[in-house]
Amino acid sequence: MSEQLGRRRFLKLAGISAGSLGAAAALSQPGKIFGAGTSSDASTGSNVLQTGTSAEDMDAMHEAGVKTFLGNVGKEPDFWRKPMEPVMDGDVKVFNLVCQDIQWSTSPDMTFPAMAYNGMIPGPEIRFTEGDKVRIVMKNEMKQSTAIHFHGLLIPNDQDGVPYITQKPVKSGETGTYEFTARNPGTHMYHSHHNSAEQVTSGLLGSLIIEPKDKSTQPVVDAEYTFVLNDTTLGFTINGRQFPNTQPIIAQKGQKLRIRYMNEGLMIHPMHLHGMPQSVISKDGNMLTTPYLVDTICVAPGERYDTILDATEPGVWAFHCHILTHAESQHGMFGMVTVLIVK
Ligand SMILES: [Cu+2]
């Protein structure tokens, strides 16, 4: 009963608050939001769990993670990537990339040797329009050779970016150039196709979106968000970060959002949003003739899905991979977790 009351009070807070801070304050009481999951009897009885961590310690670690997440809201404006500005060379849109060996922190206490395009993981979002002439220039400043593959694009074979099948690898210190005209609109990706199990999971990945020339084929939305999922070398990440260093999606009630999911990792990630369904409108860049509703969207390596989310339900809604070992441990939530805040 008291938990029900807490939830109701929380929803009121999240719905009424003018800023995200109101919702944030409520979210900092995780027992009221996600449900503590333990009865009051459990907390008065033996509270040492099988693993040796007390229930109190476990709860405290969970709470601390959520508080850290809240403290970080708005602190990384580029978490949801904005498109990179091309340089024009006549009528060609030129995108310059530099790949480097870097150190990357998925959260403050998790820093890894990594590989990045333009110093960021994922790399900058590359976005252009169907019919555009495009050149992508990639300078390799890493120790290893590399090459870029444009995943999902209809492209001349010799621009496909696979060493020894369509090109020589771009060696350390060399520059590789790719040139093509954008043909198939949709949600695509770019990534290394050389020693890729190491290079892609280390960070050589990014979203590549081709806008259709005819915008009337697209749903009108208030905002767009792209989830680049990755795993293995840098842990379980959304846009290069692990919870509690991910950022929320913040929407006003009644807004329509487009969410693009892409999986650059080596494992499947069923992304689950609490509170309201999403309509799947596109698979691998191809618009579906019959959209369908889901609350969990299983994104396999290499796949892309676009969904439309009608933000109808006020509150703070957990949004996470439902392979729970990618999202939560005894120490609290981690990895592929964020929230949707509907104000
Ligand atoms: Cu997962």
Side-chain angles (χ1 to χ4, degrees):
M1 276 302 272
S2 66
E3 190 181 313
Q4 277 291 93
L5 199 70
R7 272 177 201 277
R8 229 177 290 141
R9 195 186 308 145
F10 159 70
L11 282 175
K12 220 171 161 188
L13 271 169
I16 288 172
S17 72
S20 63
L21 284 181
L27 185 52
S28 69
Q29 304 165 55
K32 289 184 178 173
I33 292 141
F34 301 115
T38 50
S39 70
S40 53
D41 287 339
S43 64
T44 53
S46 167
N47 59 8
V48 178
L49 305 178
Q50 284 177 332
T51 52
T53 307
S54 75
E56 286 73 17
D57 286 349
M58 191 181 288
D59 295 351
M61 288 187 284
H62 279 65
E63 184 175 19
V66 173
K67 280 187 166 160
T68 301
F69 176 82
L70 294 169
N72 288 334
V73 172
K75 285 197 178 155
E76 190 182 1
D78 290 335
F79 176 83
W80 303 108
R81 291 269 187 278
K82 289 163 198 74
M84 173 187 191
E85 276 299 320
V87 176
M88 296 306 296
D89 178 10
D91 61 350
V92 181
K93 288 185 175 171
V94 182
F95 296 88
N96 291 301
L97 299 176
V98 179
C99 4
Q100 291 167 319
D101 298 306
I102 64 162
Q103 296 285 311
W104 182 255
S105 299
T106 59
S107 62
D109 55 346
M110 300 273 235
T111 299
F112 301 90
M115 302 175 186
Y117 296 117
N118 296 7
M120 62 184 93
I121 298 173
E125 181 189 287
I126 297 179
R127 194 183 277 242
F128 43 82
T129 302
E130 182 185 2
D132 281 353
K133 290 180 191 165
V134 173
R135 185 183 307 140
I136 290 162
V137 181
M138 188 249 320
K139 187 168 193 306
N140 180 9
E141 295 184 355
M142 306 189 305
K143 289 190 202 78
Q144 294 187 13
S145 304
T146 191
I148 302 185
H149 167 61
F150 303 97
H151 184 109
L153 268 65
L154 293 176
I155 203 167
N157 182 237
D158 61 1
Q159 303 301 296
D160 195 44
V162 184
Y164 303 112
I165 291 189
T166 60
Q167 67 163 87
K168 287 183 185 149
V170 180
K171 293 187 182 296
S172 180
E174 292 180 352
T175 295
T177 300
Y178 301 86
E179 206 151 348
F180 52 87
T181 299
R183 288 172 62 191
N184 56 324
T187 299
H188 308 299
M189 309 189 285
Y190 67 98
H191 54 230
S192 164
H193 213 294
H194 190 62
N195 184 25
S196 51
E198 181 185 7
Q199 292 193 3
V200 178
T201 62
S202 293
L204 291 182
L205 53 96
S207 62
L208 193 162
I209 293 163
I210 306 183
E211 300 276 7
K213 219 184 244 172
D214 178 6
K215 296 271 196 292
S216 72
T217 58
Q218 302 296 302
V220 177
V221 295
D222 297 295
E224 275 195 25
Y225 295 89
T226 297
F227 284 76
V228 182
L229 307 172
N230 199 11
D231 55 54
T232 310
T233 305
L234 305 179
F236 296 106
T237 56
I238 299 171
N239 294 351
R241 305 291 189 202
Q242 292 207 38
F243 185 92
N245 290 86
T246 49
Q247 289 288 322
I249 292 177
I250 302 176
Q252 302 293 329
K253 183 177 187 290
Q255 281 190 326
K256 199 183 270 291
L257 312 181
R258 182 176 187 150
I259 300 182
R260 301 173 192 260
Y261 299 87
M262 48 191 74
N263 186 348
E264 289 277 20
L266 311 184
M267 305 173 195
I268 59 166
H269 300 294
M271 295 301 294
H272 174 56
L273 171 63
H274 295 208
M276 67 213 85
Q278 298 165 68
S279 176
V280 182
I281 58 162
S282 172
K283 166 76 167 82
D284 297 341
N286 304 297
M287 295 300 284
L288 302 182
T289 50
T290 311
Y292 58 97
L293 287 170
V294 295
D295 62 31
T296 306
I297 184 147
C298 191
V299 193
E303 287 188 318
R304 288 91 64 214
Y305 288 94
D306 291 30
T307 67
I308 297 295
L309 167 60
D310 283 308
T312 55
E313 308 303 308
V316 181
W317 302 103
F319 201 164
H320 61 93
C321 177
H322 218 291
I323 294 181
L324 300 177
T325 45
H326 301 178
E328 193 167 43
S329 76
Q330 289 184 336
H331 296 240
M333 292 187 289
F334 74 98
M336 294 173 156
V337 178
T338 182
V339 303
L340 165 70
I341 300 173
V342 182
K343 296 198 278 195

